[in-house]
Structure formats: structure tokens, C-alpha cells
């Protein structure tokens, strides 16, 4: 039997084949495998040139990529590291089991870290550098639900105290000492750097972080270094579109600072990842096809002698034929089962293990549990040049959990080990805890002077310090320009009509000219620069291209040609909002990760932001990102022709759900300027952990001057745009509120009301209903808690108090948006809200505003209806408005259309 049997059986000339094979063997013997590879590639080339079709096969045999002879030898004390790892395993398990013996359903995971402990340990002991005077530090993305293992290490290192382990997942009572369920920089700002537990967000972020490191280096903002990004993820997690969605970018840009470690324990939450296939092979193909160096780490050292004896390739054939569901069963059912069902398939393989006991067969380990093999893979990955590396490490889910979970389908949910399972775990890892203490599952710390702890500390010292650790603020103190520097956009435009998008782009251009901040501005687009009038930046500051521009751009004879440059400043991320967002997050956290504060602007179609990539936006808040998201062409009726999928009427509600996002919908150029300047001041100068969402529109109109003294109101979310004057006694009066382009309809409605009905209005511009709501509820809450103190007045209430109602608000967003301030209307002031509830559609702006009932006529009508309810005008006046303004009384509710 020969591995080549199948092929040879179809062989028309076996003697000739044998001669070729012998020649190849001779080449391998004399000149090595690289030479053999070279010759084979030449032959493939020649065959292709002769017209042969030779498709690329992206997968290799189901064995380790690194042959034993080529493995870098692990430094350090392997026995000591095994001891340390057992202690980490124990404490990680204990933390979860103890949490789940308390009342409260706290949850937690044991099985995932059990499968990846060796993968982490080898990194911590030998590869991952902390930031220090000599090195900027590596960035490690941990699998979110492996956090107990990371805490357990910190506990042994003396960074976390025992009481803190008992506060795992008890963050309310823990008051800052507790340990968060998963990596959350918001909750543990000195510890975790990246939120990873929403599956897929770690990998996509890691890719764009790696790109951003190179960007900073190419632009000369940080020195070139060998720092790396290590991203751990699960094999099940790879099914998230974000996990593999950007890997081709990493291959294309040759991100050799990036290493993915995929923990292939063959299981996800419910069961096998690829029961009927092989996840490692599948991933190898995807990554190699995308230009990655794929290192398979399938088998541990105990397999080496068997594979060395596999001269006919039968074992390899068997390994390839066996599917993951069967591999899982082997680990679940043990040595005898494996002998029978795996090795027993062929006489040659059955014979191979004839003199191994069932226990020996059980001990045949997987690559991800063999520190020597892991070390060799990490060493190769760290030294790979010109391409990113993925390590596909085969492991056992629930390793060491025995009957309670090892390779069991439900193991992912196993968090309450019984006494017997705890005893098994102790015995398996030889933890020095006596039987009588076992029932409490106590933590075990060998003492700070123990050889184990000393070894750990020495290793971390050699690598620059503890990990994980997070920097809260950048060192450099940066000053932001005063508002006066934005005069170009605080001044009115006179007759000239521009959009708020243009105003914002001008604002960014002004920042680009700032001596300190100019180089820190990072404009990011997802193939929409022209949509937002930013193509001027192409020429001016260039588009980042890691290998420069290798072609003559088609428009090179134009002033504003498509200029790509290694030092380019614009990040053009192509049609990928998730990519643009991940890229923005890298820039927005650079103050922490690289001690370099940057000022990123990601500008996109507002509909494709919070709605499409909302989970990244949430993670960005967690991660304390600082920067501007700009929802371009916003508003349900303002982006008119594009129709239902493009017209955004709700992104502010989503932005408003993220606690540290400030969101604004400005109408006028000067509002954009004030918000921009204040945002830059708070994020760059004050280093506050907030980020901004600003919607800007593509509707052109003229803009007035910044009204004196309105800055504070703009930032707080509301200011008096036009005072109707002191009302005469008995004279009806309305308070009109609005934002975005619909504020202009509000202003026009005020004119109609006065001209046609003699009703005067006070007009309020409300750039942030979100900020108003937050302020109002904060005051309300405080008042409830301090019933006898002088009561605070919500900002909105204070502004409207003493004015004559009713109040009417209209915006280009769903009614809920402006409705957020209803609770803070002064007592007795009626509040009517108009908005764009319902699916958008394409038509002219005027038609859409009529359809959604937010144009000047509908606003004026709503004001009269409210006045009638208050008894200030007659119902007949309302009817007259309906008639004169030609409002269709029988029009169906746009929500239903
Ligand atoms: C977006 C998202 N969906 C679902 C989950 C819930 N979840 C947490 S872990 C997990 C299974 C993970 O399997 P795998 O990636 O193979 O990791 P393993 O635990 O096996 O190492 C799931 C579904 C999540 N955290 N994020
Ligand atoms: Mg898995």
C-alpha cells in the first residue's frame, strides 16, 4: 500500500513516475526541500504555459506545517512552565465554579480557556512584550470568554488579590475591584485594551490595528519597530463575517506585524464546528488564498515517532480522511475507542500502535497542547516577513475536565463542576490541595517567593512588564485651536449656498492646517469621498498606500488627481463600513495603544453606520475611542433620490443608546464649527473618553453668522434661534423646535403662521435632542433623590419656562427622536412632535417632506391644532389651514405606507 496508490492505479507509465520520484528524492536529499519546491514550481509553470489547467490547491496534508527538524527549540524550563500552567488552570476553573456556587446565576466559562491555556502561556512566557522604554509593546486580543485564565495568571503574578477573583462578574458590589466577565476597557481601564467578546469584532479590529501601526510608521509618527498584534479567536468564531471578512486586506498589504492564533478545539457552543469536515483545512485554504502564511499546529510531539514511521503515508491518509466529529469522539471516548475506530481502520495504522497501551494512545497530544510545538509555531510566526501569519492550533475543548466536559458537546456551558469532577481536575494537574478542602474549590497560590511565581515574574520582567495593561492617557499635551480659528465656517455664507457636509469638510481642512493637530487628522472613507466632496484631500494629503503608487492615475492631468502615497494621510478603506469603522477605532484608540493621540473622522452614508455596524460602534464606546463619526447625507427626506435603503431617520436614536457618544444634528455651518471645536477640545486637549456622532446633510442653503453667545446652547443641545418678542396680552404664541434641515422648514412655518394667522413664534434650534434628554433625566433623578433640596431645573425646562406654549418640534428623524424631551416641558406646555416614521422612498425633497408631514405647511398646521386644543384659536382656523395649505385629510399614515 502506498500513499500514491490511487494515483498510481491510474498511472499510464509507473516506471517513468518512479524515475521522476527518485529524482525528486535526490534533489531533496542533496539540496533540500526549498530547491525541490523551486523545481516543482518551474514545472507547474511550464505545464501551464503549454496550456495545461493546473488549479491552485490551497491546502496541504493534515499534519504540522513545521516539520520536527525545523522547529525552533523552546528556551526556558518546560517542567516549571507546566507547573505554572496547572496552577493557572486550577485558579481559572475555581473562579468560575465558585462564582456559580453563589446565588445569582453569574455564569462564566471553563472549557474554552482549558483548551487554550498552553497557547496563552507560551505567549506570556516568551513572546509578548509589554510597553517599556525599549519597546512600544505588543497588542494581544484575547478570546473574550477565556478571561478567567488571564485573571488567574495575574493573580499568581500578584497583580490581582484573592478577593478580586471572588468578585469575578460581581462588578456592582465590587466597586472597581471586580473583574469583568469579558475584556472591557470601560470597566477595567488599566487592564483590558480591546473588547473581543462579541464574536468577530476582535479579528477585524486586529487587522485594522495592524494596518494602523504601519500607517503611523510610514507617516513617521512612530518609529519602525517589530511590535506585533496577536489575535486569539475561536474556530466557531470564524463563521462571523467580520472574522474573515478583512483577511485579504492583511494579505494584500503584507501585514507581517499581525498574527492570528485560531484555537481549533473543533467545537463551538452547541456542538462541533465542522463535524463532517475539517475546520483547520478549511481555514488553511481561506487564509492561504488570501496571502497569509498558514501554520498548522495539528499534532503534539507524541505523534512525531508515529509520523516518522509512516513511510507509506497511511497514517497521513487516515488523518486526512477522518472528520472533526470523529476526532472529537476520540477525545471524548478515550484510548480504546481511538485504537478501534481511528487506528483500526487500516492494518498499517493498527499495527503502528499495537505496542502502545490505551493510556498511551490517549496521551497522543494535539499541537495546541504541546508547548514545544506552540513555541516553534510562535517563533516562526514572529519571524515571518512580508505576510501575516495564522496559526491553526488543534486543541481539545474542556481539556482536563474529564467526564464533566472534555470534548463533550455541552461543555461550553459547563460552569458548575461537582465534587468528583473537581477532584479529577486536581489529580490530573497535581494541585496540592487536600481532599478535605476540595469541596470549597479554594484558590491556590504558591506564595510570592515560590519558584513558580519567581519564574513568572522573571519572564515578564524580561519582556518589559505585565500584560495585559492599558494606558489611560497619551503623554503629549496637545492644545486645540480656539473657535476663532474656525471663522471661515462660523461666519455666514451670505447669498452663497452650501451644505453642512461642505462646512464640515472645511472644518477638517482647517484642522489639517493646524500646526499641532494637522498631522494627527485621519480622514477615513469607505469609498465615498466624492459623495462628501472630499476628493480635494486626495491630492492635498494623499491616500495611504503602503507600497506607494505604482501606476499613472487616469486623472493625473487634473489638479485633484487620485494620489496614492506611502505617506498618504487619507485612509481609503474601499466598500467596507465595518472596515472603515475598525480602522477608525484603531486611530481613535491610538492615544492608548501607541501613546499617540490621533483625530480620526470616519465619514459615511449615515444609514450604513450605527444600523449596519452598530456592534462595532458599541465596542468603540467600551474601548474609550476618541474621534468623530460623521453620518453624511443624513435625514429621511434630505437624502431624497436614493430611497428606502439610504434614507436614515433613526441613527441618532442608536447613537444615543451608547453612553459616551455625543450626537448632534446641526443645521448651520456655525453649529458644525462650534461642535467640532468643542469636540476636539474635549477629546484631544482634555483627553475625555467620549466620541462624537455628527450628521451632516447634502442640501445647499445659505447660512447665517454665529449668533452671539449661542455657543454654550449649541453644545448643550438647544438655543434660541429667533425670539418672537414679548407677546401682547392674549396674543397666541408658539414655541417651534427643530434641527437639521427641517429646522429650515420650522423657520418657514413661523413665517406662514405670522402671515396667514397672525401667530408669532419663538424659534429654537436643537442640535442635540440626545444631550437634552440626558440632562433632563439626570436632573429628574437627582431631584427624586434630594426631595428637600433646591430642585434642579432641566436645561430644556429652564429655556422654555415663562414662554407661552404650545411647543411643536419637527425633525427629519422618527418622532421618538424629538419626543425624548417631552418629560421636561414646563408644566402645562403642550408638546407636539412631527417626524419621519415609516420607510423612506425616492422623490423630491418637497414631496418627501409633504409625504412625511414635516414640511412648513404641516408644521404650521400642527401649531394651529395645538393652539386650538389650548383654546387659543378656533378649530375653524385649523380647518382653514388644512384647506389653504392643501393638506390631504384622508392621507394614510406614512408609517403604514
Ligand atoms: C456575536 C456573538 N454571538 C454569539 C456569542 C455567544 N458565544 C460566546 S462563545 C460562543 C461559542 C464560541 O465558540 P468558538 O469560537 O469555537 O470558541 P471556543 O469557546 O470553542 O474556544 C458563542 C456562540 C457571542 N459572544 N458573540
Ligand atoms: Mg471552538
Amino acid at each position: 500500500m502506498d500513499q500514491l496508490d490511487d494515483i498510481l492505479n491510474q498511472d499510464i507509465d509507473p516506471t517513468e513516475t518512479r524515475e521522476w520520484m527518485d529524482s525528486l528524492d535526490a534533489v531533496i536529499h542533496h539540496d533540500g526541500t526549498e530547491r525541490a519546491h523551486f523545481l516543482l514550481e518551474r514545472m507547474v509553470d511550464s505545464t501551464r504555459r503549454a496550456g495545461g489547467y493546473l488549479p491552485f490547491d490551497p491546502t496541504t496534508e493534515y499534519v504540522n506545517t513545521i516539520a520536527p527538524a525545523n522547529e525552533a527549540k523552546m528556551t526556558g524550563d518546560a517542567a516549571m512552565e507546566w507547573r505554572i500552567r496547572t496552577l493557572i488552570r486550577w485558579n481559572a476553573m475555581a473562579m468560575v465554579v465558585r462564582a456559580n456556587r453563589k446565588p445569582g446565576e453569574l455564569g462564566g466559562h471553563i472549557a474554552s480557556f482549558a483548551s487554550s491555556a498552553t497557547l496563552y502561556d507560551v505567549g506570556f512566557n516568551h513572546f509578548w512584550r509589554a510597553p517599556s522604554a525599549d519597546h512600544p509593546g505588543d497588542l494581544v486580543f484575547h478570546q473574550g470568554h477565556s478571561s478567567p485564565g488571564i485573571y488567574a495568571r495575574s493573580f499568581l503574578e500578584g497583580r490581582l488579590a484573592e478577593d478580586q477573583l471572588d468578585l469575578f462578574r460581581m462588578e456592582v458590589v465590587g466597586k472597581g475591584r471586580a473583574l469583568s466577565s469579558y475584556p472591557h476597557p470601560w470597566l477595567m481601564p488599566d487592564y483590558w485594551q480591546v473588547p473581543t467578546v462579541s464574536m468577530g469584532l476582535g479579528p477585524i479590529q486586529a487587522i485594522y490595528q495592524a494596518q494602523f501601526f504601519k500607517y503611523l510608521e510610514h507617516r513617521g509618527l512612530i518609529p519602525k519597530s517589530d511590535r506585533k498584534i496577536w489575535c486569539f479567536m475561536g474556530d466557531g468564531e470564524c463563521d462571523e463575517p467580520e472574522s474573515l471578512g478583512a483577511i485579504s486586506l492583511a494579505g494584500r498589504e503584507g501585514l507581517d506585524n499581525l498574527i492570528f492564533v485560531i484555537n481549533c478545539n473543533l467545537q463551538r457552543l452547541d456542538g462541533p464546528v465542522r463535524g463532517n469536515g475539517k475546520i483547520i483545512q478549511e481555514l488553511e485554504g481561506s487564509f492561504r488564498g488570501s496571502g497569509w502564511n498558514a501554520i498548522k499546529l495539528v499534532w503534539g510531539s507524541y505523534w512525531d515517532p508515529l509520523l516518522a514511521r509512516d513511510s507509506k503515508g497511511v497514517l497521513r491518509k487516515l488523518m486526512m480522511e477522518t472528520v472533526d466529529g470523529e476526532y472529537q469522539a476520540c477525545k471524548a471516548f478515550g484510548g480504546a475507542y481511538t485504537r478501534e475506530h481511528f487506528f483500526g481502520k487500516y492494518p498499517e495504522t493498527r499495527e503502528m500502535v499495537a505496542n502502545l497501551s490505551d493510556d498511551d494512545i490517549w496521551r497522543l497530544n494535539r499541537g495546541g497542547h504541546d508547548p514545544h510545538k506552540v513555541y516553534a509555531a510562535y517563533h516562526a510566526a514572529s519571524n515571518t516577513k512580508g505576510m501575516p501569519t495564522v496559526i491553526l492550533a488543534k486543541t481539545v475543548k474542556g481539556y482536563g475536565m474529564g467526564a464533566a466536559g472534555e470534548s463533550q458537546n455541552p461543555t461550553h456551558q459547563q460552569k458548575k463542576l461537582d465534587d468528583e469532577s473537581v477532584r479529577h481536575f486536581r489529580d490530573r494537574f497535581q494541585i496540592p490541595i487536600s481532599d478535605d478542602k476540595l469541596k470549597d474549590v479554594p484558590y491556590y497560590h504558591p506564595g510570592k517567593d515560590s519558584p513558580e511565581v519567581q519564574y513568572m515574574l522573571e519572564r515578564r520582567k524580561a519582556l518589559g512588564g505585565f500584560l495585559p495593561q492599558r494606558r489611560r492617557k497619551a503623554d503629549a499635551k496637545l492644545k486645540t485651536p480656539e473657535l476663532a480659528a474656525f471663522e471661515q465656517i462660523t461666519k455666514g455664507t451670505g447669498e452663497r449656498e452650501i451644505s453642512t457636509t461642505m462646512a464640515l469638510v472645511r472644518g477638517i481642512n482647517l484642522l489639517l492646517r493646524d500646526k499641532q493637530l494637522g498631522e494627527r487628522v485621519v480622514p477615513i472613507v469607505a469609498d465615498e469621498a466624492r459623495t462628501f466632496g472630499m476628493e480635494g484631500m486626495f491630492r492635498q494629503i494623499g491616500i495611504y498606500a503602503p507600497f506607494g503608487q505604482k501606476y499613472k492615475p487616469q486623472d493625473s492631468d487634473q489638479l485633484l488627481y487620485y494620489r496614492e502615497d506611502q505617506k498618504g494621510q487619507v485612509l481609503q478603506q474601499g466598500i467596507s463600513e465595518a472596515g472603515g469603522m475598525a480602522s477608525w477605532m484603531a486611530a481613535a484608540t491610538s492615544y492608548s495603544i501607541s501613546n499617540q493621540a490621533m483625530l480620526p473622522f470616519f465619514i459615511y452614508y449615515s444609514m450604513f453606520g450605527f444600523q449596519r455596524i452598530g456592534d462595532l460602534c458599541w465596542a468603540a464606546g467600551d474601548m474609550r475611542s476618541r474621534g468623530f463619526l460623521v453620518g453624511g447625507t443624513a435625514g429621511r427626506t434630505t437624502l431624497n433620490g436614493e430611497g428606502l435603503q439610504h434614507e436614515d431617520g433613526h441613527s441618532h436614536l442608536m447613537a444615543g443608546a451608547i453612553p459616551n457618544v455625543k450626537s448632534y444634528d446641526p443645521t448651520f455651518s456655525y453649529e458644525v464649527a462650534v461642535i467640532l471645536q468643542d469636540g476636539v477640545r474635549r477629546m484631544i486637549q482634555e483627553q475625555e473618553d467620549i466620541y462624537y456622532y455628527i450628521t451632516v446633510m447634502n442640501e445647499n442653503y445659505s447660512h447665517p453668522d454665529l449668533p452671539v453667545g449661542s455657543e454654550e446652547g449649541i453644545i448643550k443641545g438647544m438655543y434660541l434661534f429667533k425670539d418672537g418678542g414679548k407677546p401682547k396680552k392674549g396674543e397666541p404664541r408658539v414655541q417651534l423646535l427643530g434641527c437639521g434641515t427641517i429646522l429650515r422648514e420650522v423657520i418657514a412655518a413661523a413665517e406662514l403662521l405670522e402671515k396667514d394667522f397672525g401667530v408669532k413664534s419663538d424659534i429654537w434650534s436643537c442640535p442635540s435632542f440626545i444631550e437634552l434628554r440626558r440632562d433632563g433625566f439626570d436632573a429628574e433623578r437627582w431631584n427624586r433623590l434630594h426631595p428637600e433640596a433646591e430642585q434642579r431645573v432641566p436645561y430644556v425646562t429652564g429655556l422654555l419656562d415663562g414662554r407661552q406654549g404650545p411647543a411643536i418640534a419637527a425633525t427629519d428623524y422618527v418622532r421618538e427622536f424629538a419626543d425624548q424631551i417631552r418629560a421636561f416641558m414646563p408644566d402645562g406646555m403642550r408638546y407636539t412632535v412631527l417626524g419621519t416614521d415609516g420607510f423612506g422612498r425616492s422623490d423630491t425633497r418637497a414631496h418627501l417632506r409633504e409625504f412625511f408631514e414635516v414640511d412648513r405647511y404641516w408644521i404650521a398646521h400642527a401649531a394651529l391644532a395645538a393652539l386650538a386644543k389650548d383654546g387659543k384659536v378656533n378649530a375653524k382656523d385649523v380647518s382653514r389651514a388644512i384647506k389653504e395649505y392643501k393638506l390631504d385629510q384622508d392621507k394614510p399614515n406614512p408609517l403604514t405606507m
Side-chain angles (χ1 to χ4, degrees):
M1 260 259 306
D2 196 289
Q3 185 193 20
L4 296 168
D5 267 5
D6 296 348
I7 306 166
L8 292 180
N9 286 341
Q10 306 152 21
D11 197 340
I12 52 164
D13 189 348
T15 316
E16 184 187 40
T17 310
R18 180 55 61 205
E19 281 167 15
W20 277 82
M21 295 305 293
D22 289 346
S23 310
L24 186 66
D25 283 346
V27 172
I28 294 172
H29 187 70
H30 289 292
D31 302 317
T33 50
E34 268 183 38
R35 171 74 187 154
H37 187 192
F38 173 80
L39 291 175
L40 290 170
E41 290 292 334
R42 291 295 303 268
M43 289 180 196
V44 168
D45 275 353
S46 297
T47 316
R48 284 196 177 125
R49 267 182 220 148
Y53 172 60
L54 273 67
F56 158 69
D57 182 356
T59 58
T60 58
E61 284 185 312
Y62 198 58
V63 292
N64 293 349
T65 306
I66 305 175
N70 299 334
E71 286 169 5
K73 292 279 162 281
M74 185 168 133
T75 54
D77 179 343
M80 173 66 81
E81 293 188 19
W82 181 82
R83 284 274 315 133
I84 293 168
R85 188 154 52 252
T86 60
L87 302 182
I88 294 176
R89 285 181 184 284
W90 174 267
N91 288 314
M93 179 276 291
M95 191 183 317
V96 177
V97 172
R98 287 166 69 95
N100 285 285
R101 288 183 180 183
K102 296 180 216 166
E105 313 256 337
L106 291 170
H109 301 87
I110 302 171
S112 301
F113 178 71
S115 68
S116 56
T118 310
L119 297 172
Y120 285 106
D121 267 18
V122 174
F124 276 116
N125 288 335
H126 301 282
F127 290 91
W128 302 334
R129 294 151 300 185
S132 67
D134 311 323
H135 197 271
D138 297 315
L139 174 62
V140 184
F141 288 68
H142 307 86
Q143 248 182 299
H145 53 292
S146 285
S147 59
I150 313 302
Y151 294 139
R153 165 170 280 271
S154 297
F155 166 63
L156 291 179
E157 289 171 339
R159 298 177 71 198
L160 297 176
E162 189 164 323
D163 74 299
Q164 289 183 277
L165 301 194
D166 270 341
L167 290 170
F168 175 54
R169 296 188 169 223
M170 299 203 66
E171 300 184 82
V172 175
V173 295
K175 294 198 172 112
R177 281 185 65 71
L179 306 180
S180 57
S181 50
Y182 303 115
H184 292 301
W186 187 261
L187 300 168
M188 294 178 70
D190 299 313
Y191 194 87
W192 294 117
Q193 292 180 283
V194 241
T196 47
V197 80
S198 183
M199 309 259 110
L201 301 195
I204 193 170
Q205 285 190 69
I207 290 170
Y208 286 91
Q209 285 282 1
Q211 184 198 44
F212 199 69
F213 281 7
K214 297 254 180 195
Y215 169 93
L216 290 174
E217 288 181 5
H218 280 135
R219 292 197 48 222
L221 290 160
I222 57 172
K224 280 202 176 6
S225 79
D226 64 348
R227 83 195 285 210
K228 300 264 188 280
I229 289 170
W230 292 75
C231 179
F232 282 73
M233 72 195 89
D235 46 0
E237 181 174 8
C238 289
D239 285 339
E240 290 286 2
E242 291 88 347
S243 300
L244 303 198
I247 60 172
S248 57
L249 170 118
R252 190 164 64 241
E253 300 201 356
L255 300 179
D256 51 12
N257 54 352
L258 178 64
I259 298 165
F260 272 17
V261 181
I262 307 187
N263 174 20
C264 297
N265 54 24
L266 315 186
Q267 290 176 244
R268 42 182 155 83
L269 195 156
D270 287 339
V273 176
R274 293 290 184 272
N276 300 306
K278 277 205 286 301
I279 187 65
I280 291 184
Q281 296 302 97
E282 184 179 323
L283 293 172
E284 178 189 27
S286 301
F287 279 89
R288 285 190 69 214
S290 296
W292 288 54
N293 171 35
I295 299 180
K296 289 199 291 195
L297 174 56
V298 189
W299 309 112
S301 309
Y302 293 119
W303 289 88
D304 285 346
L306 297 184
L307 284 162
R309 277 164 39 210
D310 184 39
S311 54
K312 292 185 179 166
V314 185
L315 178 56
R316 285 173 171 79
K317 177 176 144 85
L318 173 62
M319 286 171 160
M320 190 65 116
E321 286 167 356
T322 306
V323 293
D324 283 355
E326 193 55 39
Y327 279 119
Q328 183 191 336
C330 284
K331 281 298 171 196
F333 298 135
Y337 178 94
T338 308
R339 181 192 303 281
E340 173 79 20
H341 292 267
F342 179 75
F343 290 109
K345 188 165 172 191
Y346 296 110
E348 288 87 344
T349 45
R350 177 182 288 279
E351 175 56 29
M352 252 181 199
V353 293
N355 55 4
L356 297 187
S357 68
D358 288 349
D359 283 348
D360 289 339
I361 291 181
W362 167 251
R363 269 194 290 275
L364 288 170
N365 55 348
R366 291 188 178 169
H369 293 295
D370 183 329
H372 302 278
K373 301 269 182 201
V374 173
Y375 182 93
Y378 285 9
H379 187 273
S382 302
N383 290 294
T384 297
K385 296 270 178 293
M387 47 166 48
T389 296
V390 60
I391 294 171
L392 301 165
K394 182 157 159 152
T395 63
V396 178
K397 191 145 180 169
Y399 185 84
M401 288 168 75
E406 196 146 351
S407 264
Q408 312 280 308
N409 274 338
T411 189
H412 189 88
Q413 305 291 69
Q414 180 61 274
K415 46 205 81 183
K416 299 184 179 180
L417 298 193
D418 59 21
D419 292 347
E420 194 36 49
S421 306
V422 171
R423 181 191 312 277
H424 169 90
F425 203 100
R426 178 205 58 183
D427 294 343
R428 169 100 173 245
F429 297 116
Q430 300 169 28
I431 308 295
I433 293 176
S434 58
D435 282 353
D436 57 320
K437 303 227 172 68
L438 267 190
K439 68 173 189 327
D440 297 333
V441 204
Y443 298 116
Y444 182 79
H445 196 294
K448 72 177 187 342
D449 299 324
S450 63
E452 290 86 353
V453 172
Q454 286 304 309
Y455 184 91
M456 293 175 86
L457 296 180
E458 179 276 314
R459 288 314 308 147
R460 286 318 311 165
K461 197 165 161 218
L463 290 161
F466 290 125
L467 283 179
Q469 60 165 283
R470 183 182 174 279
R471 158 185 283 283
R472 284 193 192 223
K473 288 190 188 324
D475 287 333
K477 301 263 178 289
L478 300 170
K479 255 193 76 61
T480 51
E482 300 293 325
L483 191 58
F486 294 88
E487 200 197 347
Q488 214 190 84
I489 49 172
T490 53
K491 263 199 340 238
T493 59
E495 294 288 282
R496 245 172 349 108
E497 301 197 330
I498 67 163
S499 65
T500 43
T501 307
M502 285 163 78
L504 184 94
V505 171
R506 279 180 195 170
I508 298 175
N509 275 313
L510 291 170
L511 285 165
L512 279 166
R513 275 182 232 147
D514 184 84
K515 278 209 173 55
Q516 255 193 344
L517 298 188
E519 62 178 10
R520 293 173 188 272
V521 174
V522 185
I524 302 169
V525 287
D527 199 37
E528 296 285 0
R530 291 182 202 279
T531 311
F532 308 119
M534 292 165 65
E535 63 271 35
M537 288 181 193
F538 291 169
R539 164 68 209 287
Q540 186 198 341
I541 52 175
I543 299 162
Y544 174 69
F547 307 113
Q549 190 160 36
K550 299 178 180 171
Y551 61 95
K552 179 175 169 187
Q554 168 277 327
D555 51 1
S556 56
D557 59 340
Q558 311 275 310
L559 188 63
L560 303 178
Y561 72 94
Y562 198 85
R563 184 171 77 85
E564 300 193 61
D565 192 323
Q566 205 176 41
K567 288 185 175 328
Q569 195 164 351
V570 176
L571 282 166
Q572 164 62 277
Q573 297 298 10
I575 309 171
S576 168
E577 281 75 13
M581 185 64 194
S583 173
W584 178 89
M585 287 162 77
T589 54
S590 167
Y591 72 92
S592 169
I593 288 166
S594 298
N595 192 16
Q596 279 298 333
M598 302 298 285
L599 186 55
F601 291 84
F602 175 29
I603 305 178
Y604 53 84
Y605 265 117
S606 74
M607 194 65 149
F608 304 138
F610 285 86
Q611 168 161 293
R612 185 170 179 126
I613 48 163
D615 206 16
L616 280 165
C617 299
W618 181 254
D622 183 352
M623 208 169 161
R624 299 169 179 266
S625 301
R626 302 174 188 164
F628 291 94
L629 292 182
V630 182
T633 52
R636 183 89 87 212
T637 69
T638 306
L639 173 57
N640 52 330
E642 295 289 307
L644 186 150
Q645 187 63 67
H646 285 65
E647 292 162 356
D648 163 34
H650 49 275
S651 62
H652 280 282
L653 290 180
M654 299 177 187
I658 304 178
N660 53 348
V661 174
K662 307 267 155 207
S663 91
Y664 289 93
D665 185 41
T667 307
F668 296 119
S669 174
Y670 64 80
E671 294 180 354
V672 173
V674 169
I675 296 160
L676 189 62
Q677 193 274 341
D678 193 56
V680 175
R681 180 188 64 77
R682 290 183 67 175
M683 295 188 291
I684 293 284
Q685 191 168 304
E686 309 301 328
Q687 298 213 41
E688 282 187 57
D689 292 335
I690 51 177
Y691 76 81
Y692 280 70
Y693 176 53
I694 306 178
T695 41
V696 290
M697 275 71 70
N698 60 340
E699 184 170 350
N700 293 322
Y701 44 86
S702 62
H703 297 249
D705 286 336
L706 170 68
V708 178
S710 61
E711 294 90 330
E712 192 192 336
I714 293 171
I715 292 160
K716 286 184 150 179
M718 177 166 169
Y719 65 96
L720 187 60
F721 177 75
K722 186 162 174 282
D723 195 338
K726 206 170 151 46
K728 298 201 190 84
K729 206 165 173 333
E731 182 191 68
R733 170 63 56 102
V734 289
Q735 306 300 314
L736 298 184
L737 283 62
C739 61
T741 46
I742 299 300
L743 176 63
R744 299 181 64 249
E745 293 298 322
V746 168
I747 295 166
E751 285 165 20
L752 291 177
L753 284 168
E754 177 151 21
K755 175 167 70 76
D756 299 335
F757 294 90
V759 174
K760 283 195 171 161
S761 318
D762 298 321
I763 303 175
W764 303 86
S765 173
C766 304
S768 184
F769 281 101
I770 304 280
E771 287 300 293
L772 298 177
R773 175 198 68 193
R774 288 177 176 168
D775 165 84
F777 281 120
D778 188 49
E780 189 191 82
R781 170 182 175 278
W782 191 93
N783 291 343
R784 255 197 318 274
L785 288 168
H786 303 86
E788 294 181 47
E790 190 185 333
Q791 299 286 281
R792 290 183 184 171
V793 180
Y795 178 64
V796 180
T797 321
L799 290 182
L800 291 177
D801 205 22
R803 301 257 165 191
Q804 273 183 32
I808 291 90
T811 76
D812 217 4
Y813 292 85
V814 292
R815 279 181 175 75
E816 245 176 295
F817 178 51
D819 209 55
Q820 295 178 92
I821 59 168
R822 178 175 300 279
F824 318 115
M825 287 294 136
D827 286 344
M829 186 178 285
R830 183 179 300 282
Y831 187 43
T832 304
V833 172
L834 303 181
T836 55
D837 301 57
F839 281 119
R841 59 211 57 212
S842 46
D843 208 314
T844 62
R845 288 191 181 116
H847 289 161
L848 288 172
R849 288 168 186 171
E850 182 189 351
F851 175 81
F852 281 109
E853 305 169 7
V854 292
D855 69 10
R856 58 199 65 184
Y857 305 106
W858 286 94
I859 297 169
H861 161 252
L864 290 164
L867 283 168
K869 278 211 145 194
D870 282 352
K872 300 280 171 56
V873 301
N874 295 319
K876 282 202 164 45
D877 294 313
V878 188
S879 296
R880 175 159 75 86
I882 292 173
K883 197 151 160 264
E884 280 183 19
Y885 298 151
K886 302 194 178 63
L887 307 183
D888 178 359
Q889 281 177 295
D890 301 317
K891 190 171 164 291
N893 183 343
L895 180 69
T896 63
M897 296 280 284

